[in-house]
Amino acid sequence: MSASTNLGGVATPAVPTSGIGLDTSRLSSRANLEKAGKQFEAVFTGMMLKSMRQGHLASELFESKGIDTFREMQDQKLAQSMADHAPLGIGKAMVDFLAKSQADAEKTAAAEKAAARGVTTP
């Protein structure tokens, strides 16, 4: 739902608050896609490590909030290192999928423009 806000007599358009941006221009560059793929790989690996740590296999004799915080930071660095040096492949799969989708979207847009002008494309 989009409504405008009145600030001091000046109407300003409401900004969507869903947290999802509509600007997809950053996806047009392969380098940007690859950077996003690496970041996704790191987040995914971090979530996997965190999930693995939740299965308490060791004694809780030496457990504390400080150790938990240190382990979280250590896991975050480990996940980033794994994404950079030994990726699982999920980031690359995401990049390939998005690149193919972007290429298909550009091809469709070009075909629609050509059809609007009355030109046929193969």
Side-chain angles (χ1 to χ4, degrees), residues 15 27-28 35 39 41 46 58 60 74-75 80 84 88-89 94 97 107-108 112:
V15 178
L27 298 176
S28 61
K35 183 179 175 186
Q39 289 173 345
E41 182 99 27
E60 294 188 17
Q74 181 185 24
D75 287 349
Q80 187 62 51
D84 289 340
L88 299 172
M94 184 190 79
F97 175 77
K107 189 176 180 181
T108 302
E112 287 174 356

PDB file of all heavy atoms in Angstrom, residues 15 27-28 35 39 41 46 58 60 74-75 80 84 88-89 94 97 107-108 112:
ATOM      1  N   VAL A  15       7.606   5.772   0.753  1.00  0.00           N
ATOM      2  CA  VAL A  15       8.630   4.834   0.308  1.00  0.00           C
ATOM      3  C   VAL A  15       8.214   3.457   0.781  1.00  0.00           C
ATOM      4  O   VAL A  15       7.782   3.298   1.922  1.00  0.00           O
ATOM      5  CB  VAL A  15       9.996   5.224   0.922  1.00  0.00           C
ATOM      6  CG1 VAL A  15      11.067   4.240   0.522  1.00  0.00           C
ATOM      7  CG2 VAL A  15      10.365   6.634   0.507  1.00  0.00           C
ATOM      8  N   LEU A  27      22.310  -5.614 -10.940  1.00  0.00           N
ATOM      9  CA  LEU A  27      22.424  -6.982 -11.436  1.00  0.00           C
ATOM     10  C   LEU A  27      22.941  -7.048 -12.862  1.00  0.00           C
ATOM     11  O   LEU A  27      23.221  -8.120 -13.375  1.00  0.00           O
ATOM     12  CB  LEU A  27      21.064  -7.684 -11.364  1.00  0.00           C
ATOM     13  CG  LEU A  27      20.461  -7.851  -9.980  1.00  0.00           C
ATOM     14  CD1 LEU A  27      19.087  -8.477 -10.081  1.00  0.00           C
ATOM     15  CD2 LEU A  27      21.360  -8.664  -9.083  1.00  0.00           C
ATOM     16  N   SER A  28      23.077  -5.894 -13.509  1.00  0.00           N
ATOM     17  CA  SER A  28      23.474  -5.899 -14.913  1.00  0.00           C
ATOM     18  C   SER A  28      24.949  -6.207 -15.101  1.00  0.00           C
ATOM     19  O   SER A  28      25.366  -6.584 -16.186  1.00  0.00           O
ATOM     20  CB  SER A  28      23.130  -4.556 -15.557  1.00  0.00           C
ATOM     21  OG  SER A  28      23.838  -3.518 -14.909  1.00  0.00           O
ATOM     22  N   LYS A  35      30.137 -10.813  -6.911  1.00  0.00           N
ATOM     23  CA  LYS A  35      30.329 -10.311  -5.547  1.00  0.00           C
ATOM     24  C   LYS A  35      29.148 -10.728  -4.672  1.00  0.00           C
ATOM     25  O   LYS A  35      29.328 -11.182  -3.539  1.00  0.00           O
ATOM     26  CB  LYS A  35      30.469  -8.794  -5.569  1.00  0.00           C
ATOM     27  CG  LYS A  35      30.747  -8.186  -4.218  1.00  0.00           C
ATOM     28  CD  LYS A  35      30.903  -6.682  -4.322  1.00  0.00           C
ATOM     29  CE  LYS A  35      31.070  -6.053  -2.954  1.00  0.00           C
ATOM     30  NZ  LYS A  35      31.073  -4.600  -3.013  1.00  0.00           N
ATOM     31  N   GLN A  39      29.087 -13.214  -1.335  1.00  0.00           N
ATOM     32  CA  GLN A  39      28.471 -12.809  -0.076  1.00  0.00           C
ATOM     33  C   GLN A  39      27.386 -13.802   0.340  1.00  0.00           C
ATOM     34  O   GLN A  39      27.269 -14.167   1.512  1.00  0.00           O
ATOM     35  CB  GLN A  39      27.888 -11.402  -0.187  1.00  0.00           C
ATOM     36  CG  GLN A  39      28.951 -10.325  -0.275  1.00  0.00           C
ATOM     37  CD  GLN A  39      28.363  -8.956  -0.557  1.00  0.00           C
ATOM     38  OE1 GLN A  39      27.205  -8.826  -0.952  1.00  0.00           O
ATOM     39  NE2 GLN A  39      29.158  -7.924  -0.342  1.00  0.00           N
ATOM     40  N   GLU A  41      27.267 -16.945  -0.506  1.00  0.00           N
ATOM     41  CA  GLU A  41      27.980 -18.166  -0.101  1.00  0.00           C
ATOM     42  C   GLU A  41      28.465 -18.043   1.340  1.00  0.00           C
ATOM     43  O   GLU A  41      28.334 -18.976   2.131  1.00  0.00           O
ATOM     44  CB  GLU A  41      29.164 -18.394  -1.034  1.00  0.00           C
ATOM     45  CG  GLU A  41      29.952 -19.638  -0.759  1.00  0.00           C
ATOM     46  CD  GLU A  41      29.594 -20.780  -1.663  1.00  0.00           C
ATOM     47  OE1 GLU A  41      29.139 -20.563  -2.787  1.00  0.00           O
ATOM     48  OE2 GLU A  41      29.775 -21.924  -1.223  1.00  0.00           O
ATOM     49  N   GLY A  46      27.956 -19.519   6.918  1.00  0.00           N
ATOM     50  CA  GLY A  46      27.846 -19.095   8.310  1.00  0.00           C
ATOM     51  C   GLY A  46      26.627 -19.677   8.995  1.00  0.00           C
ATOM     52  O   GLY A  46      26.692 -20.113  10.156  1.00  0.00           O
ATOM     53  N   ALA A  58      29.819 -31.513  22.975  1.00  0.00           N
ATOM     54  CA  ALA A  58      30.848 -31.461  24.009  1.00  0.00           C
ATOM     55  C   ALA A  58      30.217 -31.119  25.363  1.00  0.00           C
ATOM     56  O   ALA A  58      29.074 -30.708  25.447  1.00  0.00           O
ATOM     57  CB  ALA A  58      31.894 -30.417  23.639  1.00  0.00           C
ATOM     58  N   GLU A  60      29.447 -28.974  28.609  1.00  0.00           N
ATOM     59  CA  GLU A  60      29.204 -27.552  28.791  1.00  0.00           C
ATOM     60  C   GLU A  60      29.960 -27.022  30.007  1.00  0.00           C
ATOM     61  O   GLU A  60      29.620 -25.979  30.562  1.00  0.00           O
ATOM     62  CB  GLU A  60      27.708 -27.288  28.911  1.00  0.00           C
ATOM     63  CG  GLU A  60      26.975 -27.603  27.633  1.00  0.00           C
ATOM     64  CD  GLU A  60      25.527 -27.157  27.673  1.00  0.00           C
ATOM     65  OE1 GLU A  60      25.160 -26.340  28.535  1.00  0.00           O
ATOM     66  OE2 GLU A  60      24.766 -27.635  26.827  1.00  0.00           O
ATOM     67  N   GLN A  74      34.456 -16.218  15.225  1.00  0.00           N
ATOM     68  CA  GLN A  74      35.334 -17.159  14.550  1.00  0.00           C
ATOM     69  C   GLN A  74      34.604 -17.831  13.384  1.00  0.00           C
ATOM     70  O   GLN A  74      35.153 -17.972  12.289  1.00  0.00           O
ATOM     71  CB  GLN A  74      35.827 -18.208  15.544  1.00  0.00           C
ATOM     72  CG  GLN A  74      36.776 -19.233  14.951  1.00  0.00           C
ATOM     73  CD  GLN A  74      37.142 -20.310  15.954  1.00  0.00           C
ATOM     74  OE1 GLN A  74      36.406 -20.580  16.910  1.00  0.00           O
ATOM     75  NE2 GLN A  74      38.292 -20.928  15.739  1.00  0.00           N
ATOM     76  N   ASP A  75      33.368 -18.246  13.606  1.00  0.00           N
ATOM     77  CA  ASP A  75      32.583 -18.881  12.547  1.00  0.00           C
ATOM     78  C   ASP A  75      32.319 -17.916  11.395  1.00  0.00           C
ATOM     79  O   ASP A  75      32.333 -18.318  10.227  1.00  0.00           O
ATOM     80  CB  ASP A  75      31.256 -19.412  13.101  1.00  0.00           C
ATOM     81  CG  ASP A  75      31.439 -20.657  13.950  1.00  0.00           C
ATOM     82  OD1 ASP A  75      32.549 -21.239  13.941  1.00  0.00           O
ATOM     83  OD2 ASP A  75      30.469 -21.044  14.635  1.00  0.00           O
ATOM     84  N   GLN A  80      33.541 -16.656   5.784  1.00  0.00           N
ATOM     85  CA  GLN A  80      34.025 -15.756   4.735  1.00  0.00           C
ATOM     86  C   GLN A  80      35.249 -16.355   4.050  1.00  0.00           C
ATOM     87  O   GLN A  80      35.370 -16.314   2.832  1.00  0.00           O
ATOM     88  CB  GLN A  80      34.372 -14.382   5.325  1.00  0.00           C
ATOM     89  CG  GLN A  80      34.727 -13.356   4.277  1.00  0.00           C
ATOM     90  CD  GLN A  80      33.574 -13.069   3.326  1.00  0.00           C
ATOM     91  OE1 GLN A  80      32.473 -12.788   3.768  1.00  0.00           O
ATOM     92  NE2 GLN A  80      33.819 -13.144   2.043  1.00  0.00           N
ATOM     93  N   ASP A  84      35.606 -17.528   0.103  1.00  0.00           N
ATOM     94  CA  ASP A  84      36.648 -16.970  -0.763  1.00  0.00           C
ATOM     95  C   ASP A  84      37.562 -18.037  -1.354  1.00  0.00           C
ATOM     96  O   ASP A  84      37.945 -17.952  -2.514  1.00  0.00           O
ATOM     97  CB  ASP A  84      37.503 -15.961   0.014  1.00  0.00           C
ATOM     98  CG  ASP A  84      36.753 -14.683   0.332  1.00  0.00           C
ATOM     99  OD1 ASP A  84      35.735 -14.408  -0.340  1.00  0.00           O
ATOM    100  OD2 ASP A  84      37.176 -13.964   1.257  1.00  0.00           O
ATOM    101  N   LEU A  88      31.385 -23.720  -1.624  1.00  0.00           N
ATOM    102  CA  LEU A  88      30.540 -24.906  -1.775  1.00  0.00           C
ATOM    103  C   LEU A  88      29.955 -24.997  -3.180  1.00  0.00           C
ATOM    104  O   LEU A  88      29.616 -26.068  -3.655  1.00  0.00           O
ATOM    105  CB  LEU A  88      29.401 -24.877  -0.758  1.00  0.00           C
ATOM    106  CG  LEU A  88      29.799 -24.870   0.715  1.00  0.00           C
ATOM    107  CD1 LEU A  88      28.574 -24.641   1.587  1.00  0.00           C
ATOM    108  CD2 LEU A  88      30.468 -26.173   1.071  1.00  0.00           C
ATOM    109  N   GLY A  89      29.783 -23.858  -3.823  1.00  0.00           N
ATOM    110  CA  GLY A  89      29.232 -23.819  -5.175  1.00  0.00           C
ATOM    111  C   GLY A  89      27.841 -23.216  -5.242  1.00  0.00           C
ATOM    112  O   GLY A  89      27.343 -22.960  -6.336  1.00  0.00           O
ATOM    113  N   MET A  94      23.951 -19.582  -7.967  1.00  0.00           N
ATOM    114  CA  MET A  94      23.068 -18.416  -7.917  1.00  0.00           C
ATOM    115  C   MET A  94      23.471 -17.392  -8.976  1.00  0.00           C
ATOM    116  O   MET A  94      22.629 -16.835  -9.680  1.00  0.00           O
ATOM    117  CB  MET A  94      23.109 -17.776  -6.530  1.00  0.00           C
ATOM    118  CG  MET A  94      22.151 -16.613  -6.370  1.00  0.00           C
ATOM    119  SD  MET A  94      22.391 -15.692  -4.856  1.00  0.00           S
ATOM    120  CE  MET A  94      23.798 -14.694  -5.297  1.00  0.00           C
ATOM    121  N   PHE A  97      22.485 -18.628 -12.445  1.00  0.00           N
ATOM    122  CA  PHE A  97      21.039 -18.535 -12.625  1.00  0.00           C
ATOM    123  C   PHE A  97      20.614 -17.089 -12.884  1.00  0.00           C
ATOM    124  O   PHE A  97      19.836 -16.806 -13.795  1.00  0.00           O
ATOM    125  CB  PHE A  97      20.315 -19.089 -11.391  1.00  0.00           C
ATOM    126  CG  PHE A  97      18.829 -18.921 -11.446  1.00  0.00           C
ATOM    127  CD1 PHE A  97      18.059 -19.762 -12.231  1.00  0.00           C
ATOM    128  CD2 PHE A  97      18.207 -17.912 -10.738  1.00  0.00           C
ATOM    129  CE1 PHE A  97      16.683 -19.608 -12.299  1.00  0.00           C
ATOM    130  CE2 PHE A  97      16.834 -17.744 -10.794  1.00  0.00           C
ATOM    131  CZ  PHE A  97      16.074 -18.599 -11.581  1.00  0.00           C
ATOM    132  N   LYS A 107      16.826 -10.258 -23.652  1.00  0.00           N
ATOM    133  CA  LYS A 107      16.431 -10.771 -24.961  1.00  0.00           C
ATOM    134  C   LYS A 107      14.933 -10.555 -25.187  1.00  0.00           C
ATOM    135  O   LYS A 107      14.499 -10.134 -26.262  1.00  0.00           O
ATOM    136  CB  LYS A 107      16.772 -12.261 -25.055  1.00  0.00           C
ATOM    137  CG  LYS A 107      16.617 -12.852 -26.419  1.00  0.00           C
ATOM    138  CD  LYS A 107      17.090 -14.298 -26.400  1.00  0.00           C
ATOM    139  CE  LYS A 107      16.953 -14.930 -27.760  1.00  0.00           C
ATOM    140  NZ  LYS A 107      17.385 -16.337 -27.753  1.00  0.00           N
ATOM    141  N   THR A 108      14.135 -10.807 -24.152  1.00  0.00           N
ATOM    142  CA  THR A 108      12.687 -10.601 -24.242  1.00  0.00           C
ATOM    143  C   THR A 108      12.365  -9.125 -24.439  1.00  0.00           C
ATOM    144  O   THR A 108      11.507  -8.774 -25.257  1.00  0.00           O
ATOM    145  CB  THR A 108      11.993 -11.130 -22.972  1.00  0.00           C
ATOM    146  OG1 THR A 108      12.318 -12.517 -22.824  1.00  0.00           O
ATOM    147  CG2 THR A 108      10.501 -10.956 -23.045  1.00  0.00           C
ATOM    148  N   GLU A 112      10.471  -7.453 -27.598  1.00  0.00           N
ATOM    149  CA  GLU A 112       9.260  -6.638 -27.447  1.00  0.00           C
ATOM    150  C   GLU A 112       9.429  -5.270 -28.093  1.00  0.00           C
ATOM    151  O   GLU A 112       8.500  -4.756 -28.721  1.00  0.00           O
ATOM    152  CB  GLU A 112       8.916  -6.491 -25.963  1.00  0.00           C
ATOM    153  CG  GLU A 112       8.361  -7.754 -25.347  1.00  0.00           C
ATOM    154  CD  GLU A 112       8.149  -7.639 -23.851  1.00  0.00           C
ATOM    155  OE1 GLU A 112       8.496  -6.596 -23.253  1.00  0.00           O
ATOM    156  OE2 GLU A 112       7.636  -8.608 -23.265  1.00  0.00           O
TER     157      GLU A 112
END
